[in-house]
Amino acid sequence: MKLGSPFRPRLLSALLFSIFLGSAPATPAQERGELRIATSYKLMTLDPQYANLNENTSLLSHIFERLVYQDENLELKPGLATSWRPLSDTQWAFKLRDKVRFHDGSAFDADDVVYTIERIRDFLKPPSGGFRSYVSGIKSVSAPDPLTVLIETDGAVPNLPLFFSSLFVMNRPSEGVETTEDLNAGHPPNGTGPYRFESWSSGESLRLARNDDYWGGRPAWSKVTFRVIENPAARVAALSTGEVDVADAIPARDVASLKERGARVASVGAARVNFVQFDVARDTLPGVTDKSDEPIANPFKNPLVRRALTLATDRGILVDKILAGYGTAAAQVFPNGLPGTSAKLLPEAPNYDEAKMLLAKAGFPDGFNLVLAGPAGRYPGDAESLQAVAQSWARIGVNAQPAAAPFSVFNTKRAAGDYGVWYGGTSGEAVDIILHTLLASPDPERGTGALNFGKYRNEAFDAMLARAESIAVGPERNAALAQATELVMADQPIIPLYHFHHIVGYGSRIGSYVLHPRGWTTAMQTRPAME
């Protein structure tokens, strides 16, 4: 196991502009008919502003676009906005791209950006994981001319452009506000992206057609069909037999056999973390008992217990065995080397003797029992990781019963408080976004802690994070975020496990596939093979 290996982006920089703003312009020799993609992503809605989940943002990025996008190093680049600048601590000006049209032929302008912000901020009531926190600090938004947007915030928001790298721009309707129900019921999604909406069958398929008038150049594929295949083995089989041209979320164990059958594979370290999270708020927890199965006081309130379980977690097995090397052991929320990470935080090898001593010091010399919950089929190696963590913890007397469930079931039960400790994962645009949502104290007014299901609170960390977020994007901000991360990780509200690698397989019709650490699966990331 390579502990603390630095993150190494493996993307083709020369392709980034065409890939992440739209689609590589096709030459006659490159142009192809239908691109067939088998995806693990189950699109849950046609509303691009409803839920901040990769299954939505990845697939809907064919239809809708953002003002700003992130390159392979998570640096900001122009999208529908060509430039932006702060006018003061609380005012920003964004200049928009000219001669961009929506799929219905209407011109894109500043009024659409105003509508987008106001719809998210004032109208939508999405589930946790929505986009409202990105715009909650916006006091007002106006359009002094068709290609300029002025934004006033309640306080300093130095990373406002980063927030806009997550927000899809919608076309303002002639009257009222489009509802999520309207969009899901058949109102054709109307974006500016390289592909137009054709049809959607929830849980089965999404069909797209080329936008020949796309401002970024004519897309390479005339048609794109996404087939939802949630079972990894079935995705691998579909690629192996030529039923599809691209398959995402390939299990590491299947890479060698795919290559033997002529497929090619691309991979990149994910800008995300998979972790164990503790409920540290309640006095007693479901599934947490003594060795006689009698309820006990919540052991996770004690940082010594959290530290003991961290020391009893063997990340090497997870990375080397379960992920077959397609992963990096984690000690923080992003892989080392990305902006805002700390070079001081490196994964530790397990130390079972010290873990036992800490557990005894905390009052649990014989350990205790617990149910370790998690999703099955959501992340690479998720169900297997539950088993491996449980086996590691058994070595210090903590008997963990793995309880894997489909993600929809797991997510509902986690939000309802049915678990005391669980395995999960999250991704984001930047380190501060994950810290803000996963570890900051839950505060609906500030929009913090949306994914802090363990209800962890640390006032010192909150203050350090707030200070870091007040600094303009750059080295000083990154250093402040690293210091905040060091503080909170010392308290172990979560156990970072690994940063898995995104793995995509592709067949002979594809010349190359360029991966992004955010883990998107799009037609724009493919280049047709040359004849």
Side-chain angles (χ1 to χ4, degrees), residues 46 124 169 173 212-213 220 309 319 330 338 353 399 407 413 420 478 523:
L46 292 176
L124 287 185
V169 175
D212 288 322
D213 298 323
L309 292 173
V319 171
L338 286 177
D353 290 336
N399 296 330
F407 179 72
K413 288 190 172 184
N478 291 338

Side-chain angles (χ1 to χ4, degrees), residues 219-238:
W221 306 95
S222 61
K223 300 278 187 180
V224 178
T225 297
F226 283 90
R227 288 175 52 192
V228 179
I229 304 178
E230 295 185 86
N231 183 279
R235 287 195 303 277
V236 170

Side-chain angles (χ1 to χ4, degrees), residues 460-471:
F461 167 68
D462 290 340
M464 289 185 72
L465 179 59
R467 176 186 172 277
E469 292 178 323
S470 71
I471 302 171

